[in-house]
Amino acid sequence: MVGRPLLPVGCDTAGVEPVMKKVVGMAVVGLTWLTGFSSPGFGQWAKQPYDTGGPLLPQQAAYDVRFYEINLRIDPAGRSIRGFVKVVAEAVQALDSLWLNLDPLLRVDSVKVADSAGLWRRSGFRQAGPYVVVPLFARAALGQKIEAVIYYGGSPRVAPYAPWDGGFVWSRTASGEPWIGVACQTEGADIWWPCKDHPSDEPDSVALHFTVPANLVCVANGVLVGVTENPDGTRTYHWFVSTPINNYGISLYAAPYVQLDTTYVSVAGDTVPVYLWVLPQHVGSGQQLLPLILQDLRFLESVAGPYPFRAQKYGVAEAPYLGMEHQTIIAYGNQFRRNAFGFDDIHFHELSHEWYGNCVTVSDWKDFWIHEGFASYMEALYAEALRGPEAYRSYLASYRRRIQNLMPLAPRESKSGGEMYGTDLYYKGAWVLHTLRYLLGDDPFRVFLRRVVYPDSSCERITDGRQCRLVSTEDVIQLAETIAGRDLDWFFEVYLRKSQLPRVAVEKGDLSVRFRWLVPDGLPFPMSLEVRVASRSYRLDMSSGSATLRANPSDPIEIDPQGWILMADPVITGVAEEEGKTPATVSLLPNLPNPFNGATEIRFALPRQSVVRIEILDVRGRLVAEICHGQFPAGRHSVRFDGQDLPSGTYVCRLTAGSETRLRKLLHLR
Ligand SMILES: [Zn+2]
């Protein structure tokens, strides 16, 4: 999905519902299930669980989905859906019942299950909170096929703020006709159809049948198999997806679309049909976008390998929301705008996800950065290809300002989509790749980008679905190490597993300057460092964690002048030594300048070596930023604080050194 606009600090978050983790409710349901068939009261789920993934329920780990058929009638006037979903699964452990997820806004009418003779029989079912539990007629043994059909309907969740807070979007065109979409990446596909709502289980194929009023065109994933004219003035569009697909990647769009199409000859040699469905008033703009779509495809193929869904299509649908990477049918709502670098970044970003997100998909949202970090990095790489290295740096500089470091980018424990979603997935993810490029060198890095998608060149020729894989952060690390031919754990441990960034301490002496890595938890970080001292450039070997150069205290120093390394602002120390005295007490000195516009220097003094934490709070005491946390030697220090994304106002800087705390007011004027 596209990056969510940053919320200003202190903005009103009313209307954002707290997320209840499914696994919590699960324990209650499981217990009730074991003790009888009585349905627990709906009141147990005071809030609807609009989240997806996280720890997989044992009941859902027991089966592997092979196929879904979704057959729905879409009623724009009633803002409702009704129909059925067929699930075909295989038992990977013996199981007695099929556990599916479904938003309780939608109600199950009836269920059919195939018995051991393959005969369809009406089955009991229980809809409790966010689950539909279907008992099987006989215990399914390992490897046995399970088939169930769930008949259901209702008014699905309306997206409060698509695509970031998802659901159905019931919009209208300028002429008043329905314009419908659905986006559910961080809420889960169970907001509109019953499924095993977990990223670890993709069906091998999917059949989609959507019935809409005959004045609308309904487009969806995969290949259009046919259109049925119904006697009641509706049409049914039949689509088929012949490859694995993530649940949130399944979508539909309905509007009085005009179809624009062309073909694209892939680098692999196949001819791929390309479709763009636009509203009638945007045919001219669409015709201008079509050649740019081909140009975007050409570039991404040159980096990541052949477009993965050549046997189906590449489709773009004008959507009533900004964008989403629905497989082979990208949601596009950027109103045909190009950015300052000459490309439509929304289209390009979503197209990048066909490789990073759809061909390779994370099996747990803890690894969400692989989708967004790679797609965002591709944008910078495209800017470089179109406009040169300065454009690349400028693109990354705009990302750098938006990095928040609120939590580790890739925690080791299972996480839900809602827990992980945030701007760091995009901007910090892209910056980790940028720094990895510096570490590996350009050519090996290009191999890395391509082999994340296709493990070897033979995989690049496959189009039947076997090209799609689930990936994890561990897979990405292992690939980088294989390509580098050395251990890179230290790199990924700091950038992916810690929230705070490394920074350089610059310790000035009378005749020399020492550069030292300050790393969260004191982890090893042997990253070589480019510095410029008095206009001379050096590449410092930092394998021991520090390096010293001869220099005068007054020499100007530039650290990492080309901006390759993701790090916090440097700390300049050693002033106390020059003045020949150690501070007597912990003090937080006035920041310079104050008031400030953008950045200011936070200055402090320590009588002895201490673990220091410096935080910025708003006037209501809420944490706005942690600007450093680590060990500092005795002396005077300064740390740069960049507050340019903050609104004007008064803030409080809190210094904690050991057991002592100091506060100082900062005034930000913009
Ligand atoms: Zn994205």
Side-chain angles (χ1 to χ4, degrees):
M1 129 167 76
V2 296
R4 182 176 186 146
L6 279 179
L7 293 172
V9 173
C11 83
D12 184 11
T13 54
V16 178
E17 294 181 37
V19 168
M20 192 192 80
K21 287 184 205 129
K22 288 174 182 178
V23 70
V24 176
M26 170 49 225
V28 181
V29 183
L31 197 63
T32 317
W33 180 252
L34 289 172
T35 54
F37 208 83
S38 67
S39 177
F42 181 73
Q44 287 181 38
W45 290 275
K47 287 284 177 189
Q48 287 149 11
Y50 292 120
D51 201 353
T52 181
L56 182 61
L57 301 182
Q59 292 90 332
Q60 293 193 319
Y63 68 91
D64 174 27
V65 175
R66 310 306 297 265
F67 172 75
Y68 289 117
E69 176 184 343
I70 306 175
N71 192 322
L72 288 177
R73 175 174 286 260
I74 315 294
D75 175 14
R79 296 189 163 199
S80 65
I81 59 176
R82 184 156 298 281
F84 67 84
V85 166
K86 179 179 179 182
V87 183
V88 179
E90 186 182 309
V92 294
Q93 292 165 30
L95 75 160
D96 299 311
S97 55
L98 186 67
W99 284 67
L100 297 168
N101 303 84
L102 184 65
D103 187 341
L105 282 178
L106 300 168
R107 303 309 294 172
V108 175
D109 303 321
S110 62
V111 173
K112 277 194 317 193
V113 175
D115 67 15
S116 49
L119 294 173
W120 287 98
R121 289 164 54 194
R122 200 175 167 116
S123 163
F125 69 92
R126 206 156 48 84
Q127 186 168 12
Y131 297 97
V132 177
V133 183
V134 178
L136 304 177
F137 289 113
R139 188 174 176 81
L142 173 69
Q144 198 171 319
K145 189 167 152 188
I146 301 160
E147 293 181 277
V149 179
I150 318 297
Y151 296 87
Y152 75 107
S155 298
R157 183 184 204 230
V158 174
Y161 186 38
W164 303 283
D165 195 356
F168 262 76
V169 181
W170 305 98
S171 189
R172 290 201 172 269
T173 65
S175 56
E177 289 169 290
W179 183 20
I180 303 162
V182 55
C184 59
Q185 183 175 23
T186 56
E187 297 76 25
D190 58 337
I191 62 149
W192 67 291
W193 54 281
C195 59
K196 176 176 167 183
D197 177 30
H198 200 275
S200 62
D201 197 354
E202 296 192 357
D204 304 329
S205 59
V206 174
L208 302 168
H209 312 277
F210 297 125
T211 300
V212 295
N215 61 323
L216 305 182
V217 175
C218 184
V219 298
N221 315 87
V223 171
L224 183 65
V225 178
V227 181
T228 308
E229 302 282 345
N230 303 314
D232 63 355
T234 61
R235 276 195 193 127
T236 304
Y237 288 80
H238 308 276
W239 294 87
F240 187 75
V241 181
S242 58
T243 53
I245 182 168
N246 47 50
N247 289 359
Y248 79 85
I250 297 172
S251 195
L252 66 85
Y253 310 80
Y257 283 127
V258 175
Q259 176 180 309
L260 306 176
D261 53 67
T262 184
T263 54
Y264 171 75
V265 180
S266 163
V267 67
D270 322 62
T271 298
V272 186
V274 174
Y275 300 94
L276 171 60
W277 284 280
V278 293
L279 299 182
Q281 65 267 35
H282 294 150
V283 168
S285 306
Q287 280 163 341
Q288 288 174 7
L289 180 61
L290 212 47
L292 300 179
I293 288 175
L294 302 190
Q295 182 187 300
D296 293 357
L297 274 163
R298 182 75 59 213
F299 174 76
L300 282 161
E301 283 204 321
S302 76
V303 176
Y307 171 67
F309 306 104
R310 304 186 296 288
Q312 296 170 64
K313 71 170 186 296
Y314 178 59
V316 178
E318 189 174 359
Y321 52 92
L322 188 56
M324 181 58 80
E325 62 266 29
H326 299 136
Q327 188 169 304
T328 70
I329 186 71
I330 297 295
Y332 173 78
N334 196 35
Q335 297 167 1
F336 311 94
R337 287 182 294 225
R338 292 197 214 180
N339 65 12
F341 300 87
F343 65 102
D344 186 321
D345 46 31
I346 299 297
H347 172 262
F348 181 84
H349 178 96
E350 304 305 354
L351 173 57
S352 305
H353 280 308
E354 293 279 36
W355 288 262
Y356 306 101
N358 294 342
C359 186
V360 291
T361 308
V362 300
S363 56
D364 190 291
W365 289 117
K366 68 186 168 66
D367 301 321
F368 205 156
W369 78 279
I370 297 173
H371 291 201
E372 299 304 348
F374 279 80
S376 302
Y377 183 74
M378 287 295 137
E379 292 178 50
L381 212 52
Y382 199 31
E384 183 179 18
L386 294 174
R387 298 282 169 97
E390 274 311 305
Y392 172 77
R393 292 192 186 285
S394 158
Y395 217 97
L396 282 157
S398 76
Y399 284 175
R400 180 65 189 86
R401 289 192 287 273
R402 289 180 264 180
I403 294 177
Q404 296 185 301
N405 299 309
L406 295 179
M407 62 183 283
L409 195 56
R412 286 194 164 85
E413 63 280 11
S414 180
K415 294 282 181 189
S416 69
E419 285 174 305
M420 285 310 297
Y421 190 76
T423 52
D424 277 359
L425 299 178
Y426 299 80
Y427 310 123
K428 189 172 181 179
W431 259 86
V432 170
L433 295 174
H434 169 63
T435 304
L436 185 64
R437 176 178 174 178
Y438 168 73
L439 190 63
L440 296 184
D442 272 7
D443 290 345
F445 180 67
R446 284 296 185 120
V447 174
F448 165 79
L449 291 178
R450 194 166 178 126
R451 293 290 162 249
V452 166
V453 182
Y454 296 108
D456 60 57
S457 56
S458 69
C459 301
E460 297 183 1
R461 293 193 289 274
I462 302 171
T463 58
D464 64 4
R466 288 172 299 135
Q467 73 273 32
C468 299
R469 288 182 304 130
L470 294 173
V471 293
S472 66
T473 293
E474 288 73 18
D475 297 330
V476 170
I477 294 173
Q478 194 174 44
L479 176 67
E481 290 184 329
T482 303
I483 288 169
R486 61 195 151 115
D487 174 66
L488 297 178
D489 259 355
W490 59 270
F491 175 90
F492 292 106
E493 193 64 27
V494 170
Y495 284 128
L496 299 182
R497 312 300 194 184
K498 300 291 166 194
S499 58
Q500 290 301 302
L501 297 177
R503 66 168 73 219
V504 176
V506 181
E507 295 159 358
K508 290 183 174 179
D510 286 343
L511 294 168
S512 65
V513 56
R514 181 169 176 245
F515 300 88
R516 185 166 62 89
W517 280 118
L518 295 173
V519 187
D521 296 343
L523 287 169
F525 195 69
M527 177 79 84
S528 67
L529 183 66
E530 286 174 12
V531 296
R532 203 175 284 153
V533 178
S535 305
R536 276 196 64 187
S537 294
Y538 304 87
R539 183 156 178 153
L540 304 178
D541 174 1
M542 300 283 281
S543 51
S544 68
S546 69
T548 303
L549 282 178
R550 289 200 156 275
N552 295 315
S554 59
D555 285 342
I557 296 173
E558 234 184 312
I559 294 165
D560 187 29
Q562 298 190 70
W564 278 111
I565 301 176
L566 176 58
M567 59 180 156
D569 288 324
V571 186
I572 315 291
T573 70
V575 184
E577 289 74 12
E578 285 164 38
E579 293 180 357
K581 57 173 189 268
T582 300
T585 57
V586 172
S587 54
L588 179 57
L589 304 162
N591 57 301
L592 285 175
N594 193 41
F596 68 102
N597 172 11
T600 186
E601 293 289 326
I602 308 287
R603 304 178 309 143
F604 59 99
L606 302 172
R608 69 193 77 81
Q609 175 173 296
S610 315
V611 173
V612 169
R613 183 193 290 263
I614 299 177
E615 297 154 306
I616 305 296
L617 313 173
D618 67 13
V619 286
R620 290 155 76 180
R622 293 176 301 191
L623 184 65
V624 171
E626 182 184 85
I627 56 180
C628 74
H629 185 194
Q631 197 155 69
F632 287 82
R636 288 163 197 258
H637 308 275
S638 77
V639 187
R640 189 166 174 273
F641 169 56
D642 187 347
Q644 67 175 346
D645 289 330
L646 295 179
S648 293
T650 301
Y651 294 88
V652 176
C653 177
R654 178 166 67 194
L655 167 88
T656 312
S659 59
E660 298 190 57
T661 299
R662 300 286 182 274
L663 301 173
R664 184 169 286 280
K665 270 189 193 170
L666 316 179
L667 186 57
H668 186 221
L669 300 175
R670 24 187 327 172

